[in-house]
Amino acid sequence: MKTQNELRTLLRSIDHKSYPAYKSLAGAWKFDRYTLVIDHVQGDPFAAPSSLHVEIPHGLAKFPAAYYAKDCSRIALQDFLVRQVGKQFEQYNFKAKGSGKSGLLSISRCGQAVLERSACEITGDGLTVRFHVGFPAFGRTINAGELDKILFDFLPRCVESSLFYARLDGKKLERVVHLAEDQSAMRRILREEKLVAFVANGSVLPRKSGISDLPMADSVVFTSPQSMERTFELPHRGKITGMAIPEGITLIVGGGYHGKSTLLEAIQMGVYDHIEGDGREFVITEDTALKLRAEDGRSIRNVDISLFINDLPNKKDTKKFTTEDASGSTSQAAAVVEGIEAGTRLFLIDEDTSATNFMVRDEFMQQVISRDKEPITPFLERAGDLYEKAGISTILVAGSSGAFFYIADHILMMDCYRPVDITERVKGLCQGHAAPRVQAPGFAVPAFDRVLPAFRKAQKGRGRGWDGRELETKNIGYGAGDAESGSFTVAESRGAGGGRGYRGSEGRGNGADGRGYGSGEDRGHGGRGRGGNRGGDGRHEHMKTKSFGLESFSMDREEVNVRYLEQLLDSEQVNALAHLLRYGLEEVMDGKKTVRQTVEAIWNAWEKQNWKPFAGSFVPCGLAKPRIQELYACLNRFRG
């Protein structure tokens, strides 16, 4: 391995040269207490910044082994270190001058939740921290003096101050690890005690604003109704008391602006652990919980929604329902069935964002529109069976229909932001009213045997064969072609031209360029090989991915809308979903696997190799692990 002195010498030798000469710096360089790896160098000072990472062995970092022995504490430690590096980078960001992104120093910006990110990875060998640097330039020529400041002054200070245990606040770090272990223990208690959610007394549920996830100052703290109050023992915190919501159907009601949706939103985000000071540290929810809502216009492919919708006037088969433009009711019906397929054990529903005709039909409406004229079986009539026969609980916010009182096991009324248990009182009132129909016949969980068609990437002809003729490209598209072979786009030519792909690897084939591009600097291993976009090393061209915050991401020209996946909380999760879905399309979907088998194959690849299977030549900073429920959701929304 080359040394830091050799890096400095090389850097000085390319000063004032054309900016692409920076690429000669790529590789691993040994510093005194860490290894610096320059993974990718930007091609232009105005392009996305360069990707780097540092590697530090445990023998030098010296974090207690107990802090990364368990997944929960390891993830919390990784999150803590990313935050520490981010604070250090803020002091030196753009202190090196130049054009474009010169002098930029950035790493993942962490929010209120603790997520597993590619920015920091702790393994048995040590820790790896990934980040971005804007290599300085004069116009479009190399400014070696300013990059020297970054690599040999700013960066060593940041690394020394944030990634070595001796330089950190040991008590603060201990609190971070202990909080993570307590949160993990609370999740274990939920399963053991057959609970779906826990909200600790003293929690701060409201957020600062619609664009800030910080806690609201001077808000009313949460206090559990006595009838639902439970006390548990945690390994570090000791006794903790709060509201324990058992399995079954729980209804949240109350007047407008009294905090119904605020409570539900806190519960839906309780699938994640939160940092100290957030106010929701011990708002802990069943980790498979899924927020449902109507989603007009989404695509649905071969989903069995017959549990809720049958006998459509257009005679469409609702056991294999397909549409490119779903209504509110069909989209919510599909979301329920897809949620069951994804293994959820808790549905979260807010009446305000649901399709009314999907949720309930009152008695008068049923008199006007007879049942044989209505194809929808409302959720009201399936919720009980979902719990009794499928083991799936529901927490529902309702404000307009009293019909839900008849199916609820527990009823909470929010009164000036405080929950009151009114179950017994409401059940008494129900006896004086005619009960609506709350159970429909014919409940059956779908078989979930949907087989996904093999993915074929359409590609325009590129280049020419040895005889000068342009390649003849077969546009094979999604779901067409030979599903048995599992092959991808086939670009054919009469010639047998060859060439060199990424890293100069030579392949044999028909002259189709096998270099692929991923998100940002994520490039596929290419080469020119048989099959048009398969490289000489057996890999094929990656689809281009691009994410747009929490709104959507694109795969080549196909956009996947994630706007209504309300439990996504970080744009880096959307980036990661694009990478995971791309891997599934390119490597897993062979025309034989079901949706469940496809998602399991993608998820198993992550569990075994972390981020590596989903990246190109290097793992980029800027990815955060999503939940498996959101991966299912994205696969179901892909229209390609």
Side-chain angles (χ1 to χ4, degrees):
M1 186 183 299
K2 295 180 180 179
T3 67
Q4 64 185 77
N5 292 329
E6 291 175 289
L7 173 61
R8 196 166 220 163
T9 300
L10 177 58
L11 177 59
R12 290 172 177 171
S13 71
I14 61 174
D15 192 22
H16 289 85
K17 290 187 177 180
S18 179
Y19 198 87
Y22 264 141
K23 293 185 180 296
S24 63
L25 304 182
W29 306 90
K30 181 64 177 174
F31 280 63
D32 292 337
R33 299 226 292 165
Y34 61 88
T35 298
L36 173 68
V37 182
I38 301 176
D39 293 303
H40 172 79
V41 178
Q42 63 202 91
D44 183 275
F46 298 91
S50 303
S51 295
L52 291 76
H53 75 264
V54 295
E55 299 172 357
I56 306 175
H58 287 306
L60 292 177
K62 294 187 176 179
F63 288 96
Y67 285 9
Y68 50 86
K70 302 175 184 176
D71 282 346
C72 62
S73 54
R74 173 183 57 80
I75 294 169
L77 174 57
Q78 291 172 175
D79 176 86
F80 178 81
L81 295 178
V82 171
R83 294 174 193 270
Q84 298 308 304
V85 173
K87 289 177 183 178
Q88 293 295 319
F89 279 0
E90 288 175 2
Q91 302 178 40
Y92 300 102
N93 194 26
F94 290 114
K95 288 293 180 68
K97 305 301 181 182
S99 53
K101 294 183 173 62
S102 296
L104 178 143
L105 278 168
S106 71
I107 195 169
S108 297
R109 185 181 294 274
C110 302
Q112 297 298 102
V114 177
L115 300 176
E116 186 157 12
R117 301 177 187 270
S118 63
C120 183
E121 188 176 348
I122 298 176
T123 65
D125 297 324
L127 58 94
T128 299
V129 177
R130 302 180 178 95
F131 50 92
H132 293 119
V133 174
F135 282 16
F138 295 111
R140 283 185 167 82
T141 60
I142 288 173
N143 186 343
E146 294 298 288
L147 184 56
D148 186 284
K149 287 183 186 177
I150 295 173
L151 298 183
F152 297 96
D153 185 8
F154 302 163
L155 186 58
R157 292 186 194 178
C158 294
V159 171
E160 289 289 337
S161 299
S162 57
L163 297 179
F164 292 91
Y165 181 66
R167 299 291 298 273
L168 297 173
D169 184 336
K171 291 294 183 183
K172 184 176 181 180
L173 180 52
E174 183 182 62
R175 291 200 308 272
V176 167
V177 172
H178 286 178
L179 175 59
E181 291 177 349
D182 282 345
Q183 290 166 334
S184 178
M186 193 68 238
R187 294 189 187 280
R188 186 169 59 252
I189 289 171
L190 289 186
R191 292 189 292 272
E192 293 171 352
E193 298 291 327
K194 297 188 181 302
L195 305 174
V196 293
F198 177 82
V199 185
N201 289 344
S203 296
V204 178
L205 306 187
R207 298 296 92 188
K208 184 176 180 180
S209 71
I211 57 173
S212 173
D213 202 33
L214 295 172
M216 179 184 290
D218 302 321
S219 60
V220 177
V221 299
F222 184 86
T223 304
S224 171
Q226 287 190 355
S227 59
M228 299 183 71
E229 193 171 76
R230 297 277 302 273
T231 298
F232 301 106
E233 186 80 24
L234 299 179
H236 302 290
R237 181 188 175 105
K239 292 186 184 299
I240 186 169
T241 301
M243 182 176 72
I245 301 178
E247 294 176 350
I249 301 173
T250 300
L251 192 62
I252 303 174
V253 298
Y257 301 98
H258 278 255
K260 302 187 302 295
S261 295
T262 299
L263 175 58
L264 186 72
E265 287 167 6
I267 291 172
Q268 78 186 40
M269 288 309 177
V271 297
Y272 301 107
D273 292 340
H274 290 85
I275 61 172
E276 182 180 11
D278 173 76
R280 299 169 296 179
E281 297 95 317
F282 289 99
V283 180
I284 307 294
T285 306
E286 157 65 44
D287 55 16
T288 66
L290 187 64
K291 176 70 183 299
L292 300 176
R293 60 167 297 153
E295 198 173 340
D296 295 58
R298 66 153 287 193
S299 65
I300 299 171
R301 182 183 290 118
N302 294 331
V303 178
D304 183 354
I305 60 173
S306 61
L307 195 62
F308 296 98
I309 300 177
N310 281 291
D311 303 321
L312 291 174
N314 58 10
K315 306 301 180 184
K316 258 193 172 183
D317 182 6
T318 58
K319 287 188 176 294
K320 293 184 177 180
F321 186 76
T322 298
T323 180
E324 289 295 312
D325 187 18
S327 66
S329 57
T330 55
S331 67
Q332 201 158 356
V336 172
V337 175
E338 291 166 350
I340 300 171
E341 187 175 32
T344 187
R345 295 189 292 273
L346 173 64
F347 285 135
L348 306 170
I349 304 175
D350 193 332
E351 196 180 49
D352 285 351
T353 56
S354 297
T356 303
N357 62 336
F358 173 76
M359 295 301 297
V360 64
R361 293 178 69 231
D362 65 29
E363 195 64 34
F364 189 31
M365 180 61 73
Q366 292 184 41
Q367 291 177 16
V368 175
I369 308 295
S370 61
R371 286 191 176 274
D372 60 349
K373 298 291 185 183
E374 175 54 69
I376 300 175
T377 300
F379 186 82
L380 170 71
E381 299 176 16
R382 293 298 192 195
D385 281 338
L386 281 171
Y387 174 60
E388 296 293 341
K389 299 177 181 179
I392 302 173
S393 301
T394 299
I395 298 178
L396 169 65
V397 169
S400 63
S401 175
F404 294 109
F405 290 136
Y406 292 89
I407 66 169
D409 299 305
H410 300 276
I411 304 170
L412 291 170
M413 181 181 73
M414 296 302 293
D415 183 8
C416 296
Y417 316 112
R418 298 184 186 277
V420 180
D421 185 356
I422 60 171
T423 307
E424 295 302 320
R425 180 163 66 90
V426 172
K427 291 298 184 183
L429 292 173
C430 287
Q431 294 176 5
H433 294 77
R437 190 174 88 157
V438 296
Q439 186 177 35
F443 180 88
V445 175
F448 301 127
D449 54 0
R450 285 190 295 159
V451 175
L452 291 170
F455 178 71
R456 305 289 186 265
K457 183 179 184 301
Q459 176 184 331
K460 294 181 180 179
R462 303 163 76 179
R464 298 177 182 273
W466 65 271
D467 56 359
R469 296 188 181 185
E470 187 170 341
L471 302 178
E472 300 170 6
T473 302
K474 293 180 180 179
N475 186 341
I476 304 186
Y478 183 76
D482 181 5
E484 294 295 319
S485 69
S487 59
F488 291 77
T489 303
V490 180
E492 295 180 342
S493 171
R494 298 171 189 266
R500 295 187 180 273
Y502 196 61
R503 293 180 171 174
S505 59
E506 185 169 357
R508 296 184 181 276
N510 50 25
D513 188 354
R515 179 173 293 189
Y517 298 84
S519 176
E521 275 64 57
D522 178 16
R523 296 193 175 194
H525 300 269
R528 296 181 180 178
R530 189 179 304 279
N533 61 347
R534 279 198 177 275
D537 59 1
R539 297 174 65 92
H540 54 269
E541 177 180 348
H542 277 316
M543 304 170 73
K544 296 179 182 178
T545 65
K546 186 176 182 181
S547 62
F548 305 92
L550 292 173
E551 293 290 309
S552 64
F553 63 86
S554 62
M555 315 276 293
D556 282 345
R557 297 183 180 180
E558 184 65 52
E559 186 169 330
V560 179
N561 192 322
V562 298
R563 180 181 309 160
Y564 297 120
L565 303 183
E566 296 183 22
Q567 287 165 292
L568 285 174
L569 52 75
D570 194 297
S571 60
E572 291 194 357
Q573 289 178 297
V574 180
N575 292 343
L577 283 167
H579 284 69
L580 267 64
L581 181 57
R582 181 181 67 186
Y583 175 85
L585 295 172
E586 296 179 344
E587 303 288 348
V588 180
M589 290 169 57
D590 57 3
K592 301 175 184 179
K593 293 183 179 67
T594 63
V595 173
R596 277 181 168 170
Q597 290 170 335
T598 299
V599 173
E600 286 171 3
I602 299 170
W603 207 251
N604 288 339
W606 198 95
E607 295 290 345
K608 291 177 181 178
Q609 301 182 62
N610 215 319
W611 300 105
K612 291 180 181 178
F614 313 106
S617 56
F618 65 95
V619 176
C621 175
L623 305 175
K625 186 182 180 182
R627 299 188 309 149
I628 197 170
Q629 280 71 30
E630 278 69 49
L631 178 56
Y632 269 99
C634 289
L635 187 61
N636 284 318
R637 283 160 179 75
F638 181 69
R639 296 173 182 264

